[in-house]
Amino acid sequence: MGKILDGKALANLRADKLKEKVTDLKKQNIIPLFCVINIGDDPGSKVYVRTKKRRAKSVGIIQKIYQLPTDEQQSDLLALIDKLNADPKVYGIMIQLPAPKQINVNQAVERIDPNKDVDCLTPSNVGRLWQGNHFVEPATIDGIMALLDHYQIDLKSKDVVIIGRSNIVGKPLAALMLERDATVSVLHLETKDISEYTKRADVLISAAGQANLVTADMVKDGVVVIDVGINHIRGHLVGDVAFDDVLPKASYITPVPGGVGPLTVESLMEQVIKLTRRANGLRE
């Protein structure tokens, strides 16, 4: 029977340590401030922004929300980013996704100063991930790595299978897993037979956004399962993994909710503090 990887408990533990770092910064008259740009009226985005603001406040970080109209023009968005880049009091900037169709998200993200790139999505920071000299990491994958470290799950020489190749989970996670000397396979919609890969995985991470995609017959005994999926089924939140089905075969497994989710928001705050300390010449 698999041991539950409790992301909520770890998020609270990390929050307590983060509060100490924030208190230390404030003693030096350094106020951590990051700005979230939300464009339009996507209900999910508004929930995420409020959740981030509550978490930021709980650890002593100031989050400023720039709520822009649905018809916001690209030029005005870029001008706002330039303004925030130039403000020495702002230590982190992120654009809440999704954005309206008229917004060129890639161009907007490229405009963010890499030293204020909380999401680690600018081309230079993505490059640093693959070079192994990064100073910021995407929040979700930072949370996953923290969870594995907390439960002392060694990745060296392990077969790691990642389902999903997104820029915010799959691709950057592959880079960090390679850093830990894992052998990595990244699966996607064009992969011919995903079970051929998942059956030999020592560590399986699913970030596909497809409910019950991973079942017991697709994994081997003793697998470590990290479920990043968020799917709404008849009013309930479920992951990509058929939890009750896979649980007896797994050595460790994350629940949904309560696994990776709480760590994602907490890790975002960690990135804000990393960038704040770096901007002020302070070591981790």
Side-chain angles (χ1 to χ4, degrees):
M1 183 67 73
K3 184 176 181 179
I4 303 299
L5 297 171
D6 191 339
K8 188 174 182 179
L10 179 57
N12 290 333
L13 184 65
R14 294 184 88 194
D16 289 339
K17 294 179 179 178
L18 197 59
K19 287 176 187 176
E20 294 175 7
K21 291 183 181 180
V22 173
T23 299
D24 179 63
L25 287 170
K26 289 181 177 179
K27 286 178 181 176
Q28 302 175 64
N29 293 317
I30 300 169
I31 308 299
L33 166 64
F34 86 110
C35 299
V36 178
I37 302 171
N38 189 44
I39 311 160
D41 299 313
D42 181 79
S45 292
K46 289 192 172 184
V47 170
Y48 290 140
V49 168
R50 287 197 299 269
T51 301
K52 289 168 187 170
K53 189 165 187 175
R54 282 197 303 270
R55 197 64 172 180
K57 186 177 180 180
S58 72
V59 296
I61 296 171
I62 298 174
Q63 175 183 309
K64 187 171 183 180
I65 301 169
Y66 287 84
Q67 179 59 55
L68 306 181
T70 304
D71 60 355
E72 180 77 1
Q73 295 304 301
Q74 185 79 5
S75 57
D76 293 332
L77 173 60
L78 296 179
L80 172 59
I81 293 170
D82 289 343
K83 176 186 173 184
L84 298 177
N85 282 340
D87 188 343
K89 294 180 180 178
V90 174
Y91 294 111
I93 304 167
M94 67 170 289
I95 299 171
Q96 181 66 46
L97 301 177
K101 291 180 180 179
Q102 80 277 8
I103 297 297
N104 183 328
V105 173
N106 288 337
Q107 183 188 44
V109 168
E110 284 183 29
R111 195 68 160 247
I112 296 172
D113 181 346
N115 294 302
K116 300 186 179 188
D117 173 24
V118 174
D119 273 337
C120 191
L121 288 176
T122 57
S124 59
N125 282 338
V126 172
R128 288 186 179 99
L129 273 180
W130 287 98
Q131 289 178 334
N133 65 345
H134 44 93
F135 55 81
V136 66
E137 298 81 35
T140 299
I141 68 167
D142 176 70
I144 291 169
M145 301 307 287
L147 196 59
L148 293 170
D149 287 344
H150 181 70
Y151 285 91
Q152 299 181 324
I153 297 169
D154 187 19
L155 295 168
K156 188 174 183 178
S157 301
K158 298 291 175 59
D159 283 324
V160 174
V161 172
I162 302 167
I163 305 176
R165 57 178 172 183
S166 72
N167 290 331
I168 59 173
V169 180
K171 291 177 184 176
L173 184 58
L176 291 196
M177 290 291 180
L178 288 170
E179 248 182 54
R180 300 290 187 91
D181 295 323
T183 300
V184 183
S185 300
V186 180
L187 315 185
H188 47 80
L189 285 172
E190 299 301 324
T191 301
K192 290 181 180 178
D193 181 4
I194 68 169
S195 63
E196 180 182 331
Y197 296 88
T198 60
K199 284 177 182 177
R200 63 173 187 257
D202 299 309
V203 179
L204 174 64
I205 303 106
S206 185
Q210 184 177 332
N212 300 317
L213 172 66
V214 179
T215 52
D217 62 325
M218 296 171 61
V219 299
K220 68 181 183 181
D221 288 334
V223 66
V224 176
V225 180
I226 307 291
D227 192 348
V228 190
I230 299 176
N231 309 286
H232 297 273
I233 304 294
R234 293 185 294 276
H236 295 283
L237 192 66
V238 300
D240 291 348
V241 177
F243 183 84
D244 293 335
D245 191 29
V246 174
L247 179 62
K249 295 185 76 171
S251 58
Y252 294 90
I253 189 169
T254 58
V256 176
V260 176
L263 281 167
T264 296
V265 179
E266 181 56 39
S267 293
L268 182 68
M269 304 306 143
E270 298 272 353
Q271 306 313 307
V272 173
I273 297 306
K274 281 184 184 180
L275 295 179
T276 302
R277 293 182 64 83
R278 190 172 187 272
N280 287 280
L282 302 172
R283 299 178 67 181
E284 276 297 308

